[in-house]
Every structure is written in C-alpha cells, then in structure tokens.
Amino acid sequence: MKLHFFGTGASEGVPAVFCECEYCKKIRTLGGKNIRLRTSVQLDDHILIDFSSDGYAQSLFRGMDTTNITHILITHSHEDHFYPVDLLRAAPPYGLNRTIPLHIYGNSTVTDKLNQSVGDILSLENTEKYLAFHTLSAYKTYELDGYKVTPLPASHDPRECCYIYVIEHNGKTLLYGHDSAFFSEAVWEFLGDFHFDCVVLDCTMVDHTGIFEGHMGLPDNILVRKRMLDNNIATEQTLFILTHFYHYFNPLHERITPLFQEKGFIAAYDGMDLSF
Ligand SMILES: [Zn+2]
Ligand SMILES: [Zn+2]
Ligand SMILES: [Zn+2]
C-alpha cells in the first residue's frame, strides 16, 4: 500500500489562521514542512481518507488528483476531516463528464450531512449517477474495490460514532487511527486479530498529554505502540506514523522528527509518501 499525506495539522491548521503565537509566527517565516493543512491522506491511486475544507487547495497546489479518486472514507464529521459542500461538486452542474460515481463512506452523521447538503446545492435529479453515500457500521467489514475496510469506534466525540479504520489489501494491513484518544478495550480486543504493517496515530498534543479530550500526544502514542508490540499485533518492522498536530505545542518538523524517531515513530508532514 502507498500513503500520501496531504494534511497533517489539527483542526485549526498550522500556522493557525488568526494566531499570533510564537510558533505560528516562526512557522509563517520558515514555511516548508512546518506548514500543515487539514487532514487528508491518499491510499494508493483511487482512495482518500478524509476530505477537509483544504481539499480544494490540496487539489490545486499539493498534487491531489481528485479526477482519479473514486472512494472517500470519512472518519467523522468534524470540519477538518469532512467538507460536504465540496464533495457534492462531483455532480453537475459543478463536476461535468465524470463517468463513475464518487463513493463516500462514513458514519450516519456524515451521510445525514451529505443528504442535507444535496438539497442545498444540487438539484435532486440524477445525483445517484455521480454520488453514492454509504453509511458504515462499526466492527463490520466492507469490500471496497478489492480493499477490506472495517470501521471501529474512535474515542473522540461522544456526539457521533467517530471511526478509525482497519484496511487490508494484498496481504498488508493498515490501522488508520485518528482522531482518537487511547482506544477502548472493545477496540483493543478487535485489534488483537490483526498484524499491522502500518499504524497512523493521533498526535494532536505533540509531546504533551492530558490537555485535549479525544486526542493523544507522544506519551499516549508510546503506550499504544507498546501494547501493540506486547500483544504481537505489531512488530519492530511496523511503521508507526504520528499526525494531526496542534500549533501551540511547537510541531516544528526539525524538532519533532528526532524526538519521535527515538521512540520508534515517524513524524508526518504535508507531502510525505510512504509505502509498505
Ligand atoms: Zn481532527
Ligand atoms: Zn499559534
Ligand atoms: Zn475530530
């Protein structure tokens, strides 16, 4: 599997839009790998995980080829992961000449919001030729273009069933694990049946912990990795990737890369490619 990270910032982006903190000021000057848009990751050629309000800019300036995308998995309805209005532009009068529908998968909050937005910006005729919405249930495995996808409940926002995803393809297994705090015991029990080649984790709090509910930081990521190694569901060869960084915990690429590496993690940045 190949992953490409289009966005590695938390909900506000890095630098945060109106922020004048010391880190945002520094990051505006430094640019490069320190600039972090909102979350979206491409899996191989045709699948995206999450599509935020930065999706359009990512398609213009960061190489996201939306014409090639046929399946989009949404983790949850927070706006840094899900921007329904632009997703609906796959249908006319905005998206013309597309020959296959764009399939969008998520929890019931996500598909409810998509259905509500259809009435706002599209005529209801023929929408299904261009857009297909799929409400997924936790712990159920779905076949999606040769990929086996299982949504699991994240520990994130009790107002909806936010998902993390187990994705299996060609003998490889990915855990796409954010946004989430430390996983519930029910999720740990389910994960016990897998061997993961790659694990992507929430590192909103960078090297802090216990500040934001529903998220993790490096100390929590270390506990997740240890438990996965102890339970033989990951090995030293498993890639552990940290992403979704909050601006005020100093997520400078040069600072966090060695810090995370020492603990067995890779610090994601916008534009990072991985294969496993
Ligand atoms: Zn988020
Ligand atoms: Zn800031
Ligand atoms: Zn969220």
Side-chain angles (χ1 to χ4, degrees), residues 95-270:
L96 304 178
N97 300 342
R98 282 184 67 101
T99 51
I100 38 173
L102 179 65
H103 292 272
I104 306 171
Y105 307 80
N107 64 25
S108 58
T109 308
V110 164
T111 49
D112 284 351
K113 284 192 178 179
L114 284 166
N115 282 314
Q116 282 160 19
S117 304
V118 165
D120 293 341
I121 77 154
L122 298 176
S123 80
L124 296 170
E125 275 170 47
N126 291 327
T127 300
E128 68 281 357
K129 268 171 63 185
Y130 303 97
L131 291 160
F133 308 148
H134 307 269
T135 306
L136 305 181
S137 302
Y139 298 109
K140 207 173 151 189
T141 299
Y142 300 84
E143 182 82 21
L144 191 154
D145 209 14
Y147 293 75
K148 280 166 77 179
V149 173
T150 312
L152 302 175
S155 303
H156 185 50
D157 180 345
R159 293 170 298 178
E160 65 182 280
C161 187
C162 304
Y163 289 145
I164 57 174
Y165 288 103
V166 174
I167 303 175
E168 300 162 86
H169 181 63
N170 274 350
K172 300 288 181 179
T173 308
L174 165 70
L175 174 62
Y176 192 82
H178 79 98
D179 294 356
S180 184
F182 198 77
F183 309 136
S184 68
E185 284 309 310
V187 166
W188 277 112
E189 193 176 321
F190 187 88
L191 294 177
D193 293 336
F194 294 91
H195 168 82
F196 291 99
D197 300 283
C198 181
V199 177
V200 180
L201 293 175
D202 186 315
C203 193
T204 305
M205 288 177 275
V206 193
D207 42 349
H208 298 260
T209 185
I211 295 165
F212 296 130
E213 266 180 47
H215 291 289
M216 291 193 249
L218 182 63
D220 312 293
N221 304 140
I222 290 169
L223 295 176
V224 171
R225 183 172 178 273
K226 184 179 183 317
R227 183 152 169 180
M228 293 186 89
L229 292 173
D230 289 349
N231 293 354
N232 295 318
I233 56 177
T235 65
E236 293 293 338
Q237 279 68 52
T238 302
L239 298 173
F240 280 87
I241 317 300
L242 304 185
T243 188
H244 198 271
F245 305 115
Y246 173 67
H247 67 111
Y248 194 60
F249 296 139
N250 192 8
L252 278 182
H253 179 72
E254 271 195 9
R255 183 182 85 87
I256 62 176
T257 297
L259 188 73
F260 291 0
Q261 201 169 21
E262 192 189 313
K263 304 291 182 192
F265 296 95
I266 295 168
Y269 56 88
D270 291 20

Side-chain angles (χ1 to χ4, degrees), residues 49-62:
I49 307 172
D50 287 337
F51 185 92
S52 75
S53 50
D54 287 337
Y56 178 57
Q58 286 156 338
S59 76
L60 289 177
F61 307 119
R62 300 291 180 93

